[in-house]
Amino acid sequence: MMRTLKTRLTSLILLLLTGAIGLAQGESNTQAYWVHEDVVKPSKVADYESICKEFTENLKKHNIQEISTIVTNTEDDRYLWVSPIANMAAIDKPLFPTLMEKMGKEAFSNMFNRMDECYDVEQDYIIHLDKALSYMPEGITQTPEGENYRKFFYFHITPASRAMVKKNMEAITSLFASKGSKFYYRVYKSGFGTRGEFYMVAAAAKNATDYSAKVTVNNELLGAEWPKLYNELRSNLLKFEVFTGSMRPDMAYSPSK
């Protein structure tokens, strides 16, 4: 888990992408995140979670400074470890050298070997939080207090539809703002390593009931303009997907300074 990317970039490509991410964050008001995704076998979910909590406890015990991550899992047993990065160079560094030293190589390797038995598929990619398209007027946070329930909406697009979809999403954000909506969301754009191009919208709630109540109130507030804009967005998509998930503060980690 959380290993370096299996396919290494050449030095030239790495340099170019590093510059591109830095430029995008400076000019477009975005934040890049490295996502490590484990597709866990259903029969191994309990084992995986137990080992992950062991991993997190060791990070806390030794106050490891090399990682800060939030974790979410979806109903189809995917676990996403999401860490902010400044540039592509951040994912090319050896992971957890201090943790290995503190735990001892044998204990460290044993922990990750046991974890590797819980899945056959893992992948790494980058996404970018788009603060301009996101709607959180009280301040953007990935982890609203008391709201660990998540809906993840994937709007898959093509190069030809890219500009129109962005225009659609800008119109939706403007509508939410003009009506003073209390339904908040964050928008992420696909980046290096993702499977195709997409926008991902993440919405938080306390639970499924709370989420449904928020949707009902929001739909009434936005009125007839909302379905019109949303249907226009949908008409420009290559594919649409939605997943339900939960944030896992019991696995998340942020070092103490």
Side-chain angles (χ1 to χ4, degrees):
M1 193 277 296
M2 300 289 286
R3 295 194 293 253
T4 53
L5 293 175
K6 294 180 175 58
T7 303
R8 293 290 185 176
L9 300 172
T10 64
S11 297
L12 177 59
I13 294 176
L14 180 59
L15 178 62
L16 290 174
L17 287 175
T18 299
I21 290 178
L23 184 63
Q25 292 183 179
E27 295 182 354
S28 302
N29 199 24
T30 67
Q31 169 63 52
Y33 292 90
W34 176 15
V35 181
H36 178 88
E37 180 177 324
D38 290 327
V39 184
V40 178
K41 301 173 186 177
S43 62
K44 291 289 189 176
V45 166
D47 291 340
Y48 177 83
E49 292 196 357
S50 177
I51 299 165
C52 287
K53 291 173 185 176
E54 177 186 339
F55 168 63
T56 301
E57 286 305 311
N58 274 288
L59 291 175
K60 293 177 179 178
K61 176 181 178 181
H62 301 295
N63 192 25
I64 301 303
Q65 298 293 310
E66 295 133 25
I67 180 175
S68 177
T69 186
I70 58 175
V71 183
T72 185
N73 71 282
T74 57
E75 287 187 335
D76 57 345
D77 298 327
R78 290 181 293 119
Y79 288 75
L80 285 68
W81 300 70
V82 183
S83 303
I85 58 173
N87 50 50
M88 281 288 290
I91 66 175
D92 201 48
K93 297 176 181 178
L95 287 174
F96 315 130
T98 307
L99 182 60
M100 180 185 294
E101 178 186 344
K102 297 291 186 181
M103 289 182 64
K105 185 176 181 179
E106 184 175 348
F108 177 88
S109 297
N110 175 267
M111 180 175 65
F112 279 98
N113 288 338
R114 287 185 284 121
M115 190 179 295
D116 286 346
E117 294 176 357
C118 297
Y119 48 79
D120 293 326
V121 178
E122 59 178 348
Q123 50 201 3
D124 297 89
Y125 51 89
I126 290 172
I127 58 176
H128 303 267
L129 173 65
D130 190 318
K131 298 177 183 179
L133 289 181
S134 299
Y135 178 69
M136 296 194 78
E138 297 175 8
I140 294 179
T141 175
Q142 293 179 295
T143 55
E145 187 175 356
E147 296 190 330
N148 288 331
Y149 181 86
R150 288 292 183 276
K151 284 287 187 180
F152 300 109
F153 302 90
Y154 285 79
F155 301 107
H156 295 269
I157 62 180
T158 66
S161 67
R162 183 185 299 139
M164 183 57 69
V165 170
K166 184 175 182 180
K167 182 178 179 181
N168 295 151
M169 297 190 70
E170 288 172 341
I172 289 172
T173 302
S174 294
L175 175 63
F176 275 57
S178 68
K179 296 290 187 176
S181 172
K182 297 299 182 182
F183 187 96
Y184 301 156
Y185 59 85
R186 291 161 307 289
V187 176
Y188 299 83
K189 181 69 167 58
S190 58
F192 176 74
T194 60
R195 294 163 291 181
E197 188 173 351
F198 58 79
Y199 284 102
M200 188 272 282
V201 177
K206 296 176 182 178
N207 48 47
T209 301
D210 181 47
Y211 177 81
S212 295
K214 285 184 175 185
V215 169
T216 299
V217 171
N218 191 60
N219 289 347
E220 293 175 355
L221 174 68
L222 299 184
E225 194 173 354
W226 163 235
K228 177 183 176 182
L229 288 178
Y230 187 62
N231 288 335
E232 184 177 342
L233 168 65
R234 291 283 297 264
S235 71
N236 290 314
L237 299 179
L238 173 66
K239 184 173 67 172
F240 171 76
E241 295 178 298
V242 58
F243 298 96
T244 300
S246 300
M247 298 304 298
R248 299 301 302 267
D250 54 336
M251 297 182 189
Y253 174 72
S254 183
S256 301
K257 300 301 182 181

